[in-house]
Amino acid sequence: MHATALLLAALLRPPAGPYAPCAHTPDEPGPITTRAAQLEVGAAIRREVERLGGSPMFARYLIHVAARESSLRPGVIHRKDAELAAAAYRRLRGRHHAAGNPWADRPEAWLSYGLFGMNSNYWAGEVDPKADPRRLCELTYAVQTYAAAARSRLPRIRSCGVAVPRWGDIHRAIQGGSVCPDGGAERIPAWLAAEPVRPGDLGAVSARG
């Protein structure tokens, strides 16, 4: 098998371990990647977005976010965010319990994971409240989670007086945690931040289907 294919297989289907399906543990460095592997991950994002009924623009947005947050490495654990994740766990542990999440008493599992650097305390239950938070290391689950989060926040963004939500609004709401405009500039290309989110961009297919 070609070396790039082997590397992509490791990125998309990481080996089993205590943090599976992630590619490493919090004490280990993240996986390496190549440009060819990144292009393949981008193609996988496009396929999953299409399966969910989303648009090419949504896929393009996700690829930009993933390139910045994880260098397009699906199985990465964001070790630098560990303190933020621990603080979020202390605040939200009760919510994990209320949802019946079987990992609620495992603080070491509630870290930031995957393509989009998502803090699992906030996002792992967006699709399935009982999901193992480490599932955010799965490319498909991460994309499904982002789509569900974006769809659920659009009405809240509009309630802030944003008549035409744009990709910058989605980025602020999910990556920055601020649903309403806060005056800051989003860390995505200006042209992308200014593009309106159009009906159907985010898809409507159930992620569990």
Side-chain angles (χ1 to χ4, degrees), residues 17-115:
Y19 277 80
C22 302
H24 61 111
T25 71
D27 297 325
E28 299 170 337
I32 61 170
T33 190
T34 66
R35 181 57 181 158
Q38 289 174 323
L39 291 172
E40 290 290 346
V41 170
I45 291 172
R46 291 188 186 95
R47 289 193 295 271
E48 183 61 15
V49 168
E50 182 178 9
R51 189 189 75 81
L52 295 174
S55 71
M57 180 57 76
F58 183 34
R60 195 171 184 181
Y61 164 83
L62 289 178
I63 290 168
H64 273 285
V65 175
R68 180 176 183 87
E69 296 293 335
S70 69
S71 298
L72 288 160
R73 296 174 299 162
V76 71
I77 298 174
H78 295 259
R79 300 185 298 167
K80 292 182 180 179
D81 295 342
E83 291 186 10
L84 293 174
Y89 174 79
R90 289 191 292 270
R91 290 197 307 274
L92 298 173
R93 178 182 175 185
R95 188 173 77 176
H96 304 330
H97 270 286
N101 190 291
W103 305 96
D105 287 325
R106 298 280 300 277
E108 71 278 7
W110 297 89
L111 302 175
S112 294
Y113 297 110
L115 283 171

Side-chain angles (χ1 to χ4, degrees), residues 6-23:
L6 287 170
L7 178 57
L8 180 64
L11 285 168
L12 296 180
R13 293 183 295 277
Y19 277 80
C22 302

Side-chain angles (χ1 to χ4, degrees), residues 154-173:
L154 269 180
R156 294 168 58 186
I157 291 169
R158 292 190 180 101
S159 73
C160 295
V162 179
V164 181
R166 302 179 186 276
W167 290 107
D169 296 305
I170 295 293
H171 189 268
R172 182 187 62 251

